[in-house]
Amino acid sequence: MYPFIRGRRTRASQSIRDMVREHEVRPSDLIAPMFVMEGRTAKQLISSMPGYFRYSPDLLIKEARTLFDKGIRSVLLFGMVPENKKDNKGTEAVNPNGLLPQTVKKLKDAIPELHVMTDVALDPFSSYGHDGIVEDGKIINDKTTEVLAQMSVVHAKAGADMVAPSDMMDGRIYQIRQALEENGFHDTGIMAYSAKYASVFYGPFRDALDSAPGFGDKKTYQMDPANVQEAIREAQLDEDEGADIVMVKPGLPYLDVVRAVKETVEVPVAVYNVSGEYSMVKAAGKEGWLDEQAVMMESLLACKRAGADLIASYFAPEAVDLLQ
Ligand code: PBG
């Protein structure tokens, strides 16, 4: 009790603060999301995500090399699909010569040690902008998971180390695991977006991929922001179905969910510090209202403290410079 106990003793100098620090962010904790588009030597600024770009495959590989050399171990790839290649069946999503698998192949050839993960969902390929096949205004679960399983095999064939289903259909982890096994991809992993909320924080991302839903919203498959028990259940189901990593998304407003999931599952837990979280900090930084870099580092650390083993974040490229 005071005065014998004084918390300030272990905060008195930088040295003692370094000694008692409980959590830290390492470059290898970070997953860099990357957007690939068709073309050559092309790079486009995403207007709602200041400082973030879509790259043609050649420039994406160059950028990934830079990140890898700085200590980032993993990228999460998203493909930007032109309007004329979108339909309701996800035809382009399962095209082995499509942009995503072709980029994976080149990326793995160029940087074999880079852990390449691919987004598995239909929304960037869907004429409706939904994560599944639409019939009579409804998202049809079991037809969708079949396509997602095929899509995962296509990515695995191209050399993806892990596929990352972000669709929130029921049973897709089981279906994907089964398809990967049947096709001999025993070592291709699954990072499941297990507790993915129907969040408005995804707005800037949907600009980045031009993938906003054409009708309605995603509330029949993505989770209600009010729920946490349901997140535990979803994460447990995905673990049982064969997920190697489970993810909670978004990040900062959902760190209680990260903690709850971390205390329940035995696989590593990732968190996705999403586009809206990134853009808010960028906007406030630009106005001079916040110290952008300090907020970035504090946010990433908060994710770790909450229990995340891995953090997918648009801050990864910038953060790694400060971590070195
Ligand atoms: C699509 C997908 C989304 C994100 C990742 N994969 C958007 C959505 O579900 O509408 C969001 C990422 C972000 O906002 O950074 N399946």
Side-chain angles (χ1 to χ4, degrees):
M1 216 189 304
Y2 175 85
F4 306 107
I5 296 172
R6 291 176 186 259
R8 290 183 59 188
R9 289 191 196 113
T10 49
R11 292 177 222 135
S13 70
Q14 190 60 52
S15 291
I16 187 70
R17 289 195 295 276
D18 286 349
M19 289 160 67
V20 301
R21 180 164 304 128
E22 297 175 42
H23 297 280
E24 66 173 333
V25 182
R26 301 171 302 172
S28 56
D29 297 327
L30 301 173
I31 300 168
M34 297 189 89
F35 299 110
V36 61
M37 63 178 187
E38 292 180 350
R40 280 192 53 220
T41 60
K43 172 176 169 179
Q44 265 173 10
L45 183 68
I46 300 160
S47 56
S48 53
M49 298 178 68
Y52 225 75
F53 296 87
R54 299 179 199 97
Y55 297 99
S56 56
D58 52 337
L59 290 193
L60 182 133
I61 289 165
K62 241 175 127 181
E63 178 66 14
R65 158 79 64 199
T66 307
L67 296 179
F68 187 77
D69 289 344
K70 289 179 183 175
I72 289 198
R73 294 288 157 248
S74 182
V75 297
L76 176 56
L77 288 188
F78 297 91
M80 161 103 169
V81 183
E83 210 55 44
N84 63 5
K85 290 191 179 161
K86 297 185 185 186
D87 62 21
N88 187 32
K89 295 187 299 195
T91 308
E92 184 59 17
V94 297
N95 174 8
N97 300 315
L99 178 63
L100 215 47
Q102 288 304 311
T103 305
V104 170
K105 221 172 261 172
K106 290 179 198 152
L107 193 52
K108 286 300 289 185
D109 282 347
I111 322 169
E113 320 83 60
L114 180 69
H115 184 87
V116 175
M117 306 204 258
T118 53
D119 185 63
V120 168
L122 293 188
D123 53 330
F125 305 91
S126 159
S127 39
Y128 291 108
H130 273 289
D131 293 47
I133 292 170
V134 179
E135 283 173 14
D136 301 325
K138 289 203 170 119
I139 317 302
I140 309 299
N141 196 88
D142 297 9
K143 286 187 181 170
T144 301
T145 54
E146 256 171 59
V147 183
L148 297 174
Q150 285 172 34
M151 187 177 177
S152 300
V153 171
V154 168
H155 291 182
K157 272 188 187 142
D161 295 287
M162 281 193 179
V163 293
S166 66
D167 54 288
M168 287 299 279
M169 296 300 122
D170 290 324
R172 90 278 207 216
I173 302 304
Y174 176 80
Q175 286 264 103
I176 291 171
R177 188 68 263 158
Q178 196 174 37
L180 290 173
E181 292 302 320
E182 277 169 14
N183 286 275
F185 295 108
H186 313 294
D187 297 331
T188 308
I190 304 174
M191 179 171 76
Y193 288 65
S194 300
K196 177 170 177 180
Y197 288 86
S199 169
V200 288
F201 283 93
Y202 309 148
F205 173 96
R206 292 176 185 173
D207 291 342
L209 288 189
D210 182 26
S211 62
F215 70 88
D217 51 41
K218 298 192 173 186
K219 291 180 186 170
T220 68
Y221 43 107
Q222 297 180 349
M223 283 178 49
D224 183 344
N227 297 352
V228 63
Q229 200 55 44
E230 191 185 349
I232 295 172
R233 182 166 177 247
E234 289 285 358
Q236 277 174 340
L237 281 171
D238 284 356
E239 184 179 36
D240 292 345
E241 289 178 26
D244 300 282
I245 299 174
V246 296
M247 184 152 73
V248 172
K249 177 186 181 185
L252 294 179
Y254 294 82
L255 292 185
D256 58 320
V257 182
V258 172
R259 168 57 52 193
V261 167
K262 179 65 186 171
E263 283 171 4
T264 323
V265 299
E266 273 156 20
V267 290
V269 175
V271 67
Y272 201 140
N273 173 229
V274 301
S275 58
E277 302 174 57
Y278 171 85
S279 298
M280 287 195 304
V281 174
K282 286 286 166 186
K286 189 170 160 233
E287 291 289 341
W289 296 336
L290 281 177
D291 177 341
E292 201 178 302
Q293 289 196 330
V295 171
M296 162 176 85
M297 298 315 284
E298 189 176 326
S299 303
L300 296 173
L301 183 59
C303 292
K304 292 287 305 204
R305 194 195 60 239
D309 300 290
L310 296 164
I311 311 165
S313 175
Y314 304 97
F315 288 124
E318 269 178 79
V320 79
D321 283 331
L322 298 182
L323 291 173
Q324 278 187 322

